Every structure is written in structure tokens, then in C-alpha cells.
Amino acid sequence: MGPKGPLGVLVDPMTWRAVPYLLVSAGLGVGWFVVLSMAVPLSLALAVVWVGVPLGMATVLMWRGGAKLERRLLGAAFGIRIADPYRERPQRGLGRHIQWLLSDPATWKDLGYLLMLLPLGLVETGMSFGLWTATAMLIPQPALLAMKEGAGLHSKLIVDEWAGAWALSAVGVALLILSAYFARGMAWLHGTLATLLLGGSEEERLRASRARGIDAAEAERRRIERDLHDGAQQRLLSVAVDLGRAQAKFDSEPETVRTLIAQAHAGTKAAIAELRNLARGIHPAILSDRGLDAALSGLAARAPIRVDVAVELEERPPAAVESIAYFIVAETLANMAKHSGATEASVTVIRDHRGVVVDVWDDGIGGAVVSPGGGLAGLADRAATIDGVLVLHSPVGGPTIVRAELPCEW
């Protein structure tokens, strides 16, 4: 909810974060218009001699990169989070990459947004500059008049009378409030248009989320099948063979039978242990019985380093959210133990307006990346099954922060 009243608008940091962007948005719009008005026609003109094809692809990648930068700038200036809506990149093939670039609706929405920056930026910058300039000139009129009369300094006065100076200062204060409201209003309008053009449609986001969820579920199914086939199934087969041999030698070789039964007993216990671990990997019992706090504390207790756990939830979230949060923490701590060289870590789970937010921090060497087919990509896919997002911050040298934002209904 936005700030209430003039004082609220003036003291809200979001107002002053928006002002610098609004003052330079015209420059961004002019810059992109000039670059695109030269690069796009030139690429089309040279396409007949094939030189324009790589130039055109470079131009498309350039404006998509500019749109990505705009999403980050809008997040910093207006506090809105717009996820990149692009379709998944093909693994190989130049033709597939060209088709991927040109057939993605987000590519052309990016272009539309960058071209829209020119007229929108002219309004934003022109109005902002005029309002803030007038405000800066009117408010200090009494102080300027006092400087001129007291010290004989030359000041840029609009009036030479005290009544007029104070009246203009009051107008300046009113303009200050008006300028702040204008900044918030333009930030809302700009953010709404940017969300429509840079964020993709709700249908596209849901389709991508479902697709990633299906892929994640299929990968999980293959993992379970592989673990069953390579682990418990092989052990149970060995138990069956040992028992068959024991049955055949039951009367003739009792000592051999005793050894075979002992082997079958050990194999059965190992198979049970593997099945228990597999079931725990699907959904740990402690999570169902005692909730997220106890389950994460158990993970922390088994970690090779000290892990502080703080779960600040007044009530239990839905089971799907709990399960995803648990596995994100479990996989992140496992990766930390293998690769990060960390000496301490922390896990924080809180509730906010977005749902459940999970933060996993460690003081390791950093440098973690989300690569296709990797563990972090799998966690992102798991979060996407409920339209959640996973954010990684891991500069080289550390620290590493993995944040999962999991929307849910309480």
C-alpha cells in the first residue's frame, strides 16, 4: 500500500528512488530510438546480401539485453519485480536459435517498450525537470532575500518584498508536494506499462510455469525409477537369489544355507534402508508430522558446519509450499557442503505479502551459477510448479544467498 497524505509521499524512499529515473528517462528513450532507428533499417537493407542476417540477430540480442537492463532499473527505481518472460533457449542449432529469437512474442514486446520510452520519457523528464526546477527556485526565496539584505550578496530573487517571498516559498512547498505525487503517479503508470510489455501475459507465465513443473515432475519420476532400479530392486533380487540357493541346499549343506540366509537378511535390511531413504527424499515424515521448523532443524543438525535456522511462520503453509521449501533448503545445504567451503550458514523462512520467502546464506567462496540440468536449475523448476521463483546471488569470493519466493494462500 502506498504512502498516505503529503507527508507520507515526501518521506517515502520509493518517491526519491523514482525521481532520478524520471529525470533521465528521456535520455534513455532518445538513445534507444536513435540506435534502433539506425540498426533495424540497416539490418533489413543488408539482409539481401546476407550481411544483414548476423547484424539483425545482433540487433535483436541488443534490444533484448536493453530490455533486461530496463527490468533491473525499474526494480531499483520503482520497486517492481518483472521476471524475464523469454522462452527456453534451444540446446543447439543456428536455425533453431534464430527461430527462437524471432518467434518469441517477448522479443517484439521488448522492442515496443524501448520505442515507447521516447514519448513517455519526454513527458516524464520534461514535467519532472520543470516541477523540480520551479520547486528549487521558489522554496528558498525568503532565505535568498535575507542573504541579499543582510550580507549584500547577489541572489536570484523573483521578488524584493518579504510578503512576496514568503508567498512564493509557500507555492514552492505546494509544488514540492505536487512534484512528489507526480513522481509516484508516473512511476505507477510507467511500471504498469512496463509490466504489460516486459513481463509477458499471465497466460504465458502460467504456461511456462506449468511446463517447468511438468519437466520437474518428469525428472523426479526418472530419478525415483533409477534409484529403485539401481538400488532397492537390485538388492531385493540378490535376496531372492540367496534364498533360492538356500532352499536348494537346505538339506545337503546346512552351513552354506546359514551363510546364505545371513546374506539375505543383510540384503533385506539394506533394501529397507534404501527404500526408507527414497521415501524420505519424496516427502520426509517429520515434515508432515511436525512442520517446516522441525524438518529444517533436522537438516541443519546433519550439516557438516553450523547452520542457524529461523522459521517465523505464525501458521503452517500449504503442504506443497512446505515440501518445496524443504527440498530447496536440503539441496542448497547439500551443494554448500560439497562445493562452497563455507564455515557457517543460516536458513531463514518468513511470511510476507508474496507468501513464503526462504533465504539460505553461507560464507563460502561463491561463484555458484544456475546451469541447465544443474541442481539449482532443478530447484527453480520445482519452485515454478507453484509459480514461485528462485533467485541466486553468489559473487566470486562469496557470500552466497539463495532466495525462494513461494506464493501461497493462507
Side-chain angles (χ1 to χ4, degrees):
M1 183 177 295
K4 295 181 179 180
L7 182 60
V9 174
L10 291 174
V11 301
D12 187 4
M14 193 60 66
T15 300
W16 304 105
R17 288 169 57 182
V19 169
Y21 180 91
L22 296 175
L23 288 172
V24 302
S25 61
L28 295 173
V30 171
W32 278 113
F33 181 80
V34 171
V35 171
L36 292 173
S37 63
M38 294 175 58
V40 173
L42 182 61
S43 301
L44 294 176
L46 295 177
V48 294
V49 291
W50 294 101
V51 178
V53 174
L55 181 59
M57 293 304 101
T59 302
V60 173
L61 291 173
M62 175 189 64
W63 83 55
R64 279 172 58 123
K68 288 183 178 180
L69 177 61
E70 271 292 307
R71 293 184 185 94
R72 280 53 176 180
L73 288 176
L74 294 175
F78 302 153
I80 58 175
R81 181 175 60 84
I82 305 176
D84 293 333
Y86 305 118
R87 294 175 178 175
E88 186 176 357
R89 181 192 296 269
Q91 294 294 328
R92 58 179 63 87
L94 178 60
R96 291 184 179 181
H97 275 78
I98 294 177
Q99 182 181 9
W100 164 70
L101 277 175
L102 299 183
S103 64
D104 192 343
T107 298
W108 306 105
K109 289 183 178 180
D110 287 351
L111 177 61
Y113 172 82
L114 294 177
L115 293 176
M116 181 199 70
L117 273 180
L118 177 59
L120 185 62
L122 290 175
V123 173
E124 292 173 349
T125 299
M127 291 291 294
S128 296
F129 184 80
L131 287 171
W132 291 112
T133 301
T135 299
M137 292 179 61
L138 293 176
I139 289 180
Q141 284 299 307
L144 294 176
L145 182 57
M147 291 171 58
K148 180 179 180 181
E149 292 184 351
L153 298 177
H154 176 71
S155 301
K156 294 183 178 179
L157 293 173
I158 299 177
V159 295
D160 290 326
E161 299 178 354
W162 280 103
W166 283 109
L168 290 178
S169 182
V171 173
V173 172
L175 276 180
L176 174 65
I177 298 173
L178 177 62
S179 301
Y181 273 110
F182 174 79
R184 294 303 296 259
M186 289 306 303
W188 176 84
L189 175 61
H190 194 130
T192 300
L193 294 174
T195 301
L196 291 174
L197 290 175
L198 297 181
S201 66
E202 184 67 21
E203 182 181 354
E204 290 171 345
R205 288 195 294 271
L206 290 175
R207 187 185 300 116
S209 177
R210 293 191 191 103
R212 294 175 65 189
I214 291 172
D215 291 341
E218 180 64 18
E220 187 70 7
R221 182 188 66 80
R222 289 195 298 268
R223 182 191 68 81
I224 293 172
E225 289 180 347
R226 182 178 65 253
D227 291 346
L228 284 172
H229 181 271
D230 297 340
Q233 181 176 330
Q234 294 299 320
R235 290 191 180 277
L236 291 174
L237 180 61
S238 177
V239 168
V241 171
D242 288 341
L243 290 176
R245 292 173 60 194
Q247 184 180 20
K249 300 176 182 295
F250 189 79
D251 295 324
S252 59
E253 302 179 26
E255 290 299 325
T256 303
V257 170
R258 192 174 289 109
T259 302
L260 291 172
I261 291 176
Q263 291 178 359
H265 181 253
T268 302
K269 291 197 296 183
I272 291 173
E274 290 192 2
L275 288 173
R276 185 182 296 114
N277 290 333
L278 181 60
R280 186 181 297 116
I282 297 173
H283 194 85
I286 190 174
L287 182 60
S288 301
D289 298 339
R290 300 175 56 191
L292 199 55
D293 194 354
L296 297 184
S297 296
L299 287 176
R302 295 193 295 271
I305 64 173
R306 183 172 67 87
V307 179
D308 296 324
V309 177
V311 179
E312 302 175 5
L313 300 176
E314 297 179 357
E315 56 184 295
R316 293 185 63 171
V321 175
E322 275 193 335
S323 178
I324 291 173
Y326 173 85
F327 285 111
I328 285 174
V329 174
E331 180 70 18
T332 303
L333 291 180
N335 289 341
M336 175 202 67
K338 293 178 183 177
H339 309 297
S340 73
T343 58
E344 61 178 328
S346 66
V347 177
T348 305
V349 183
I350 63 172
R351 172 186 176 179
D352 70 359
H353 65 281
R354 292 164 293 189
V356 173
V357 179
V358 181
D359 279 332
V360 184
W361 170 91
D362 70 66
D363 64 347
I365 60 175
V369 294
V370 179
S371 57
L376 290 174
L379 295 182
D381 291 340
R382 190 185 284 265
T385 60
I386 58 171
D387 207 21
V389 296
L390 189 81
V391 181
L392 172 68
H393 176 74
S394 184
V396 176
T400 293
I401 301 174
V402 177
R403 165 169 290 190
E405 299 174 2
L406 307 175
C408 65
E409 297 291 337
W410 297 79

